[in-house]
């Protein structure tokens, strides 16, 4: 149940390196939140980790553009 997650690692982006880091964190029983602007990467994260508790997925459009303003 995601409402019971008190702390988590936030993965900003889900590229090749983040995918490997996520695997290691989950294997070590850490919770993660995956944030990415590309729907394809969110779908990949869901495919990789959806059956595991403690994983949340967020798609954010134009996050990087808004942060630069």
């Amino acid at each position: 149940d995601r409402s019971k997650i008190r702390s988590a690692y936030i993965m900003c982006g889900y590229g090749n390196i983040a995918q490997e880091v996520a695997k290691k964190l989950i294997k070590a029983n850490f919770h993660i939140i995956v944030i990415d602007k590309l729907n394809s990467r969110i779908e990949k994260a869901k495919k990789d980790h959806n059956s595991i508790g403690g994983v949340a997925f967020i798609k954010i459009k134009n996050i990087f553009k808004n942060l630069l303003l």
Side-chain angles (χ1 to χ4, degrees), residues 5-67:
I5 296 175
R6 296 199 173 146
S7 63
Y9 283 90
I10 299 173
M11 309 292 297
C12 297
Y14 196 68
N16 294 335
I17 294 172
Q19 290 173 32
E20 293 303 315
V21 171
K23 287 178 193 174
K24 291 180 181 190
L25 288 171
I26 289 169
K27 188 174 182 178
N29 294 318
F30 288 100
H31 299 289
I32 66 168
I33 299 170
V34 176
I35 300 173
D36 204 299
K37 65 180 182 174
L38 297 177
N39 195 48
S40 60
R41 288 187 182 169
I42 292 295
E43 292 305 315
K44 170 91 171 104
K46 286 181 182 179
K47 180 181 173 193
D48 291 349
H49 308 294
N50 201 27
S51 62
I52 301 168
V55 181
F57 311 95
I58 303 169
K59 180 178 181 252
I60 299 178
K61 283 188 170 184
N62 300 323
I63 185 172
F64 301 109
K65 180 180 174 185
N66 292 336
L67 288 175

